[in-house]
Amino acid sequence: MMGFWWRPLGVLASVLLVALILWASSGWVAALGFLAGVQAFVMLRRLWQEFRLSRWLENPDEVDPPDATGTWGDIFYRLQKLQRRQRASRSELTTALEQFEHAAQAVPDGMIILNDNEQIDWCNPASRTYLGLDSDRDRGQFVRYLLRQAHFLEFLDAADYSRRLVCKSPINREVSLSLQLVPFGEGKKLLVARDITELERVDAMRRDFIANVSHELRTPLTVVGGFVETLADAPDLPASESRRYFDLMLDHTRRMQRLLDDLLTLSRLESADHSLKDELVNVQELAQALKAEAESLSRGRHRVSLQLDSGAWLKGNLQEIRSALGNLVSNAVRYTPEGGEIILAWRECDGEAVFSVTDSGEGIAAEHIPRLTERFYRVDRSRSRETGGTGLGLAIVKHVLTRHGARLEIQSIPGKGSTFSAIFPAQRLQHAPESGKIIPFPEREQAAG
Ligand code: ADP
């Protein structure tokens, strides 16, 4: 700051020195005249610089401060520095604000800023999707007038910031929302609306699943428990009678065992760290084994045939593919009345490979078909139980096929029969595999077992 004074004091000292010299040489009139002249020059210069400053101040953002020398130059230079610093911090602020706006627009949750009167200050695009609010149209509106549901008004009045309100979206009843109020600043609030539809669906599925499993286990457990009590209370029961009870208990125990096995298979297939182990599966050999299995399940009640039109091998997990196709075969036997026909086929079509199981059984009405792969979904519950079904077979099939990038197609005509086709994509097929690498099917089966 001292630097500021040196120059003007230097100039003043020089002027006074010249005035003194003039006084001594030409008298006081000349000295005073000189001083008056200098004074007039300083005033005019100052007026000019003040004019330039005031002109600049009219529009300081658009143009740089004026140029000058001396003290005024120093002042203008400082003003310019100040202006640059301000511009830099304003641009930093604008960038930060823009980033915030972009982030807020990208946030999947609805976010609404309310002022201390509960008027909308700002809201992001997601709040339009969930609550029908629009930042431009609704700015300054009272949120109570726009969202009038009684439970929302109660929630606002309660101002309990630890509470969440679960409700349906006012513009789409299919969407469930969780609303939360977060206080900030002076009397401001952030209203956050989160889409919890998927969470609620998963929760409902979990509840249904537990209810279904309990229901499935309750019947056999009640039956086995009843027989055990009867046998305990009547030790002198005739041997033939107790034999019948033991057989029934064994039946129900096996049913529970099958249910638990299927549940474990499903849970293994669903677990994230259960990755797919690829091997080469000789489908023709597998189809022969499945045919033998069908014949043994059918015990001569059906005609079972095989149509092998493709020699392609499958890249996939033998155990899983065997279990999926085995389920289709066992269903065909279980849902086809005596004397019916079952055809297992392996063929290629448009680059894909299809393993199909066709039966001449009871068939399925069209409305049931899309739901057959849901867990525990059965067209006829008692028919499924009578034949030893768990209601999980097709759910397992769907999981296995999805893991192999394959899909299940079901065609059925009630009263005539059904065709279940597992369709594998081209990249899962291998023609003429290198013989050295292949383990023959029965040995692999033993190894897997
Ligand atoms: P389940 O153990 O009951 O057979 P699945 O998941 O294997 O369970 O099959 C679900 C339902 O699909 C069965 O209960 C049955 O109603 C129907 N279904 C499956 N396969 C056939 C078929 N080949 N013919 C007729 N209905 C079938």
Side-chain angles (χ1 to χ4, degrees), residues 265-302:
T265 306
L266 261 182
S267 109
R268 252 201 317 272
L269 288 171
E270 279 175 354
S271 78
D273 48 62
H274 182 62
S275 56
L276 191 64
K277 266 192 277 142
D278 265 357
E279 45 197 333
L280 277 176
V281 178
N282 181 343
V283 184
Q284 293 210 351
E285 279 183 17
L286 175 59
Q288 305 275 7
L290 289 173
K291 178 177 180 260
E293 210 170 280
E295 280 162 344
S296 123
L297 271 173
S298 156
R299 281 187 255 114
R301 288 175 296 133
H302 308 93

Side-chain angles (χ1 to χ4, degrees), residues 158-338:
D160 176 356
Y161 302 122
S162 61
R163 192 181 138 199
R164 280 164 204 261
L165 173 72
V166 173
C167 59
K168 293 284 172 204
S169 155
I171 57 164
N172 181 356
R173 308 298 297 167
E174 307 270 289
V175 173
S176 296
L177 297 177
S178 155
L179 300 184
Q180 194 182 8
L181 273 173
V182 184
F184 73 100
E186 282 183 19
K188 295 204 177 229
K189 285 173 207 144
L190 177 69
L191 176 65
V192 184
R194 175 162 299 167
D195 182 353
I196 53 162
T197 320
E198 188 56 23
L199 271 178
E200 290 223 315
R201 199 183 60 81
V202 171
D203 202 40
M205 254 172 62
R206 188 184 55 82
R207 279 195 307 264
D208 281 358
F209 183 68
I210 293 174
N212 273 322
V213 173
S214 321
H215 181 77
E216 294 292 329
L217 286 174
R218 190 184 300 126
T219 320
L221 268 176
T222 314
V223 174
V224 173
F227 286 141
V228 170
E229 266 177 34
T230 313
L231 288 169
D233 290 347
D236 306 329
L237 220 59
S240 62
E241 189 79 344
S242 53
R243 177 77 252 152
R244 200 173 67 82
Y245 284 179
F246 279 122
D247 284 348
L248 282 167
M249 287 199 303
L250 196 62
D251 250 18
H252 284 280
T253 313
R254 284 197 181 126
R255 187 169 141 196
M256 287 190 277
Q257 185 67 51
R258 271 196 306 273
L259 181 67
L260 291 178
D261 286 348
D262 280 358
L263 282 172
L264 282 175
T265 306
L266 261 182
S267 109
R268 252 201 317 272
L269 288 171
E270 279 175 354
S271 78
D273 48 62
H274 182 62
S275 56
L276 191 64
K277 266 192 277 142
D278 265 357
E279 45 197 333
L280 277 176
V281 178
N282 181 343
V283 184
Q284 293 210 351
E285 279 183 17
L286 175 59
Q288 305 275 7
L290 289 173
K291 178 177 180 260
E293 210 170 280
E295 280 162 344
S296 123
L297 271 173
S298 156
R299 281 187 255 114
R301 288 175 296 133
H302 308 93
R303 266 170 299 131
V304 185
S305 59
L306 201 57
Q307 291 174 359
L308 299 173
D309 297 329
S310 163
W313 292 46
L314 267 181
K315 282 182 250 176
N317 183 289
L318 171 66
Q319 231 184 332
E320 288 184 17
I321 293 176
R322 188 180 210 292
S323 136
L325 303 182
N327 263 311
L328 298 182
V329 171
S330 116
N331 280 356
V333 175
R334 288 167 43 233
Y335 296 107
T336 303
E338 191 162 352

